[in-house]
Amino acid sequence: MTSLFLRIALAFSFLYPAYRFWQSPDDWVGYLPPFLKNAGIPEATILTLLAVFHIALALWLLSGWRIFLPSLVAAFFLAGVVFFNWNQIDILFRDLSLALAALALAFASRDS
């Protein structure tokens, strides 16, 4: 049951931004790291690709299939968001907790 709750929590943390990317993209462009902004790809395209990635990762987490890998990807992605936006730590501090929850899920799946 613990794994299910962790998977739901992590999936929600990816589904909500994916929805908001489409609803209000201007609110999210500021979180893109400079190397993505300077890649020559339109911001709308980057956000669409990120939304697809978020949805795919959330569904994979919810499925529970080979949970180690999506949990590890989620942990690194969340940690990366904080790393590349350290100046916004007052808003993103929860992402560190979510990253640690993702790591806990990943390593718990290895123990079972």
Side-chain angles (χ1 to χ4, degrees):
M1 194 59 126
T2 302
S3 171
L4 177 63
F5 286 138
L6 282 170
R7 291 188 349 249
I8 291 170
L10 290 168
F12 180 75
S13 73
F14 284 93
L15 288 174
Y16 180 77
Y19 166 72
R20 295 294 294 165
F21 289 161
W22 281 305
Q23 177 111 16
S24 185
D26 291 338
D27 293 346
W28 295 87
V29 170
Y31 292 101
L32 295 175
F35 70 86
L36 281 180
K37 287 182 183 180
N38 299 330
I41 303 169
E43 291 173 346
T45 302
I46 295 171
L47 287 176
T48 299
L49 292 172
L50 276 173
V52 169
F53 168 78
H54 277 65
I55 291 168
L57 186 57
L59 293 176
W60 193 358
L61 286 163
L62 286 172
S63 77
W65 183 69
R66 296 188 181 206
I67 198 64
F68 178 78
L69 188 56
S71 300
L72 203 57
V73 169
F76 281 109
F77 185 86
L78 290 162
V81 168
V82 174
F83 176 80
F84 287 110
N85 295 285
W86 188 256
N87 61 328
Q88 299 182 54
I89 190 66
D90 289 345
I91 297 167
L92 298 174
F93 68 93
R94 289 182 183 100
D95 286 18
L96 292 176
S97 299
L98 288 166
L100 291 172
L103 281 177
L105 182 61
F107 289 107
S109 74
R110 286 294 204 202
D111 293 339
S112 53

